[in-house]
């Protein structure tokens, strides 16, 4: 009886995979979703490495939620949501930096004030926009709704982000690991901070379609954190983070499409599952456990 059940489960999994592959061959929207998942997962993982090394996870969360009023305003004005989201994402990052630098308030407090204010404004604008279906997808993602123009924007933004990171890799590396040394060496640390914020806003906007504004930070942080468990070298970490990000997105897409559940959520949970497994089996964690025995 146990053998029969195992055979049934295996057969069901094979059929599900076959249906997913058939869908990829037949449906253009699923092809767009797959390409978008791979690209967004990879670029979010790469940028996430710099975010966690700088201890800026809260900033990523703030900017990803701050784009919400920009998206809602774009619907109201009838323009592409990318424009409104980018404006509000950059506005949030500059407001946080301004408050942090020109007051005695600490950075996390400035992030909390900006994050909650922009989120509240977004909720109000959503009620005014009267387009709850589309905005619901922005909140929680709908990668199956990616149009050709959305995919083109995603590809262009991803190329820009990767090219900028490669062009300023040395500077971003130094300012991430030792900002004091970078400052003493004559580097404009503030410039690279704002550059990173700009890239973060771009990636947050492109990831909205796949996981939504609520869960963007998970796609930015979790693959990078998983990669960190395997390597102490930044270049290796970037490659691993891109791999884990793409893998999480593709597996999440497959699970969500096959079982008809929220794909954004399955992507995030898949990334979390990879982190949990890595937390248990990675060499870093094994060495840490041995040192504490």
């Amino acid at each position: 009886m146990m053998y029969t059940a195992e055979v049934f489960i295996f057969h069901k999994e094979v059929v599900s995979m076959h249906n997913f592959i058939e869908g990829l061959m037949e449906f253009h929207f699923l092809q767009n979703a797959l390409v978008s998942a791979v690209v967004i997962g990879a670029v979010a993982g790469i940028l996430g490495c710099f975010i966690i090394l700088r201890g800026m996870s809260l900033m990523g969360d703030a900017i990803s939620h701050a784009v919400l009023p920009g998206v809602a305003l774009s619907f109201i004005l009838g323009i592409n949501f990318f424009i409104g989201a980018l404006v509000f994402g950059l506005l949030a990052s500059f407001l946080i930096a301004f408050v942090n630098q020109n007051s005695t308030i600490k950075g996390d407090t400035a992030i909390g004030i900006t994050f909650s204010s922009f989120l509240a404004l977004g909720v109000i604008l959503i009620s005014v926009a009267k387009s709850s279906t589309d905005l619901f997808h922005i909140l929680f993602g709908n990668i199956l709704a990616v149009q050709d123009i959305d995919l083109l924007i995603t590809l262009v933004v991803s190329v820009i982000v990767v090219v900028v990171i490669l062009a300023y890799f040395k500077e971003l590396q130094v300012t991430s690991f030792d900002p004091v040394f970078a400052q003493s060496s004559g580097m404009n640390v503030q410039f690279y901070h704002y550059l990173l914020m700009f890239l973060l806003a771009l990636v947050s906007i492109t990831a909205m379609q796949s996981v939504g504004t609520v869960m963007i930070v998970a796609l930015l942080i979790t693959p990078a954190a998983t990669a960190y468990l395997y390597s102490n070298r930044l270049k290796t970490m970037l490659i691993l983070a891109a791999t884990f990000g793409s893998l999480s997105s593709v597996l999440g897409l497959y699970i969500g499409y096959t079982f008809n559940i929220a794909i954004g959520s399955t992507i995030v949970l898949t990334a979390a599952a990879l982190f949990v497994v890595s937390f248990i089996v990675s060499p870093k964690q094994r060495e840490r456990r041995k040192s504490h025995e």
Side-chain angles (χ1 to χ4, degrees):
M1 183 66 69
M2 180 65 70
Y3 176 75
T4 303
E6 290 177 351
V7 170
F8 174 76
I9 292 172
F10 176 75
H11 176 70
K12 188 175 181 180
E13 290 176 349
V14 171
V15 171
S16 298
M17 178 61 75
H18 179 69
N19 291 338
F20 181 71
I21 294 175
E22 276 192 342
L24 280 175
M25 302 298 249
E26 182 177 354
F27 301 121
H28 184 62
F29 74 88
L30 194 55
Q31 296 168 3
N32 281 356
L34 180 64
V35 175
S36 182
V38 172
V39 173
I40 291 174
V43 74
I46 291 172
L47 184 62
C49 292
F50 295 99
I51 300 301
I52 67 169
L53 288 175
R54 289 169 174 253
M56 292 170 53
S57 300
L58 280 177
M59 178 66 84
D61 195 24
I63 292 180
S64 64
H65 287 73
V67 301
L68 180 60
V71 175
L73 193 60
S74 296
F75 276 105
I76 294 173
L77 298 177
I79 59 177
N80 191 293
F81 76 88
F82 185 88
I83 299 173
L86 180 60
V87 170
F88 275 80
L90 293 177
L91 179 61
S93 63
F94 283 114
L95 278 176
I96 291 169
F98 178 81
V99 172
N100 189 31
Q101 293 171 8
N102 293 277
S103 72
T104 56
I105 294 175
K106 292 185 178 180
D108 58 343
T109 305
I111 289 173
I113 294 171
T114 306
F115 158 73
S116 57
S117 300
F118 274 65
L119 185 60
L121 177 60
V123 172
I124 292 174
L125 289 176
I126 284 176
S127 63
V128 174
K130 296 180 180 179
S131 182
S132 58
T133 301
D134 291 328
L135 289 172
F136 179 84
H137 292 158
I138 297 299
L139 281 171
F140 300 102
N142 185 18
I143 198 169
L144 295 180
V146 172
Q147 303 296 316
D148 290 341
I149 183 63
D150 300 322
L151 181 59
L152 178 61
I153 291 174
T154 297
L155 292 173
V156 171
V157 168
S158 298
V159 169
I160 291 173
V161 172
V162 173
V163 168
V164 171
I165 288 177
L166 290 175
Y168 294 101
F169 177 77
K170 181 180 177 181
E171 291 82 359
L172 289 172
Q173 182 180 26
V174 174
T175 54
S176 297
F177 282 103
D178 196 342
V180 176
F181 171 77
Q183 186 77 44
S184 63
S185 300
M187 288 187 183
N188 190 343
V189 176
Q190 201 68 15
F191 167 78
Y192 295 108
H193 172 79
Y194 283 117
L195 177 63
L196 204 60
M197 291 305 95
F198 175 71
L199 298 180
L200 180 58
L202 288 179
V203 173
S204 295
I205 295 165
T206 56
M208 277 193 300
Q209 194 77 23
S210 58
V211 297
T213 59
V214 174
M215 299 184 188
I216 287 174
V217 69
L219 197 59
L220 280 164
I221 302 304
T222 311
T226 305
Y228 183 73
L229 294 176
Y230 289 98
S231 176
N232 290 318
R233 293 175 56 86
L234 181 56
K235 289 182 179 179
T236 305
M237 183 180 171
L238 292 174
I239 295 172
L240 288 174
T243 303
F244 285 128
S246 294
L247 181 61
S248 301
S249 297
V250 172
L251 289 177
L253 174 62
Y254 164 71
I255 295 170
Y257 177 81
T258 302
F259 298 100
N260 194 28
I261 53 181
I263 294 177
S265 299
T266 57
I267 290 174
V268 171
L269 289 177
T270 302
L274 290 176
F275 174 80
V276 170
V277 172
S278 300
F279 186 81
I280 297 171
V281 305
S282 71
K284 272 189 179 182
Q285 289 300 113
R286 288 203 303 266
E287 291 176 6
R288 180 181 175 83
R289 285 193 292 268
K290 287 180 181 179
S291 65
H292 283 77
E293 289 177 355

